[in-house]
Amino acid sequence: KEKSSYQATFFYILREDLQVSVSAQQDPGNPNSFYYFTSNAASGYNYGAEYERSQMFLDDKIKLTSSIGYLETWIDQYDFYIDDSTSTNRGNRAQSQSPEFSYSMVAEIHPSKSLTIAIDYSFKDKYFLSDSHNHRSEAYHLLNLSAEYKINSASISLWGKNVTDTRYAVRG
């Protein structure tokens, strides 16, 4: 039985007519007057690398998995029409929802064949929230915990997501 595994991925993507999700508020006094649509920007690119390592310890009772990622993205400048006669320039920056660095560490502990306890710690770097504006998320860390007990073909799970109650933006 293998005790360790490794995986590395390198990628480069040159994109033409790449799709962007854009939005605009039609009535400044009405926060519900947004419209959303998918548009095409001129071009852009994505490149990066990901590395993952898994390793078993103590007679298969503890499994540690770690991963790290680097992502570089770009969207060339394009025009975005706010209404029939008004346009604004967008792009000329990194793509939205694309953190430059990310990593995670997971420990799975198997004290018995029936019980699994997991600790998952992850990080995401700051990133643009949308292609429609320049607001960014802050970098953040998350801690998730879980326990699962198996009884024959059934299981009982208990989990806590974001147990440190970290506040972070996912859209803006």
Side-chain angles (χ1 to χ4, degrees):
K1 190 177 193 178
E2 287 188 31
K3 297 283 185 180
S4 302
S5 68
Y6 308 89
Q7 179 177 318
T9 305
F10 301 92
F11 58 91
Y12 181 83
I13 305 165
L14 182 59
R15 301 173 70 187
E16 297 293 328
D17 295 325
L18 70 109
Q19 292 185 327
V20 291
S21 178
V22 291
S23 64
Q25 186 172 359
Q26 298 307 293
D27 178 359
N30 181 356
N32 294 320
S33 67
F34 276 84
Y35 72 88
Y36 302 89
F37 67 97
T38 301
S39 181
N40 285 343
S43 59
Y45 60 80
N46 300 30
Y47 67 84
E50 297 174 330
Y51 176 76
E52 182 177 301
R53 178 180 184 201
S54 294
Q55 190 166 9
M56 296 296 290
F57 292 100
L58 301 175
D59 196 29
D60 297 338
K61 299 243 185 245
I62 299 174
K63 179 180 180 183
L64 300 177
T65 303
S66 59
S67 65
I68 188 166
Y70 172 75
L71 175 63
E72 188 73 32
T73 66
W74 187 259
I75 297 178
D76 289 331
Q77 185 173 310
Y78 64 96
D79 289 328
F80 169 59
Y81 284 86
I82 297 169
D83 58 35
D84 290 339
S85 60
T86 309
S87 71
T88 184
N89 293 328
R90 296 284 187 232
N92 205 26
R93 62 153 216 214
Q95 297 171 22
S96 67
Q97 300 291 314
S98 301
E100 188 173 358
F101 292 101
S102 61
Y103 66 81
S104 72
M105 295 176 282
V106 179
E108 283 185 13
I109 304 160
H110 303 273
S112 70
K113 286 187 174 189
S114 300
L115 181 62
T116 302
I117 298 167
I119 304 164
D120 179 347
Y121 184 75
S122 63
F123 167 79
K124 279 193 181 180
D125 203 0
K126 64 184 181 241
Y127 56 87
F128 288 106
L129 291 165
S130 172
D131 293 312
S132 301
H133 53 72
N134 287 325
H135 298 291
R136 286 182 166 221
S137 75
E138 297 294 325
Y140 60 91
H141 297 262
L142 294 177
L143 177 63
N144 302 315
L145 304 173
S146 66
E148 179 180 45
Y149 189 77
K150 293 180 182 177
I151 307 164
N152 298 324
S153 61
S155 66
I156 298 170
S157 296
L158 176 66
W159 48 265
K161 299 285 186 180
N162 189 12
V163 297
T164 57
D165 198 26
T166 300
R167 304 287 184 198
Y168 61 98
V170 291
R171 296 299 280 170

